[in-house]
Amino acid sequence: MSPIRLSLWLSTAVFAALAAALILEFSYPLTHDAAPGVLANLAVLRLPNLFYLFALWACRASAKHLVAGEHFARTTRRLVWQVGLALTLGAAMQTLGVPWLLLLLKGWPGSIGAYDPATLTLAAVGLMMMVLSGLWRQAEQMAQELKEFI
């Protein structure tokens, strides 16, 4: 099995496993008489996972494009941008969005931010991936200009 096909299979499997876990987690309060607000609270707490699922879907889509023969550099640059954006937005949602939304649901007192080194690291890595994608785009443009010059 080629590495690209393996990455396609792995990204699909991990996406399906995480999506199934989310569906199972939401199925219990939906099918049983849960206390008021439990479903909304669960939805807010799991909101960052949607961004991480998007990152996995982007990996899957990029692997499909590469298997279909699309240009490696363009596909990989787009993947780096999409995963970086998803990691950054997911970490921002976890750090600021979830606490603020919980404040709206539950009221004061409550936290206005969640300090977690792992989440902040994800945000930093995501931002760096977005910067690298921009640098990659600039390098491609410079290479194209040099080709036209010569």
Side-chain angles (χ1 to χ4, degrees):
M1 180 180 283
S2 74
I4 299 298
R5 290 198 185 276
L6 179 62
S7 68
L8 176 60
W9 184 85
L10 285 174
S11 58
T12 302
V14 173
F15 178 88
L18 289 179
L22 279 174
I23 290 168
L24 285 174
E25 189 173 20
F26 277 94
S27 68
Y28 186 81
L30 285 173
T31 57
H32 295 76
D33 290 331
V38 167
L39 193 58
N41 191 41
L42 182 61
V44 168
L45 289 173
R46 297 299 177 245
L47 193 57
N49 291 350
L50 297 178
F51 294 102
Y52 303 137
L53 281 173
F54 172 75
L56 289 168
W57 190 260
C59 291
R60 182 188 177 284
S62 292
K64 278 183 77 171
H65 288 286
L66 290 172
V67 165
E70 190 173 309
H71 192 264
F72 181 81
R74 183 175 42 246
T75 302
T76 308
R77 179 178 37 84
R78 183 176 56 233
L79 172 65
V80 169
W81 171 262
Q82 289 173 339
V83 170
L85 182 64
L87 292 179
T88 302
L89 292 177
M93 180 59 69
Q94 185 70 42
T95 303
L96 298 172
V98 168
W100 292 351
L101 289 171
L102 288 175
L103 277 176
L104 287 174
L105 283 175
K106 296 180 178 181
W108 196 264
S111 173
I112 60 169
Y115 173 77
D116 177 28
T119 305
L120 295 176
T121 302
L122 273 180
V125 168
L127 286 171
M128 195 59 182
M129 289 175 77
M130 292 168 63
V131 168
L132 288 174
S133 176
L135 291 174
W136 198 338
R137 178 179 285 117
Q138 285 179 343
E140 287 176 344
Q141 290 171 349
M142 286 184 202
Q144 184 62 31
E145 287 178 20
L146 284 174
K147 275 185 185 178
E148 291 172 1
F149 183 69
I150 296 175

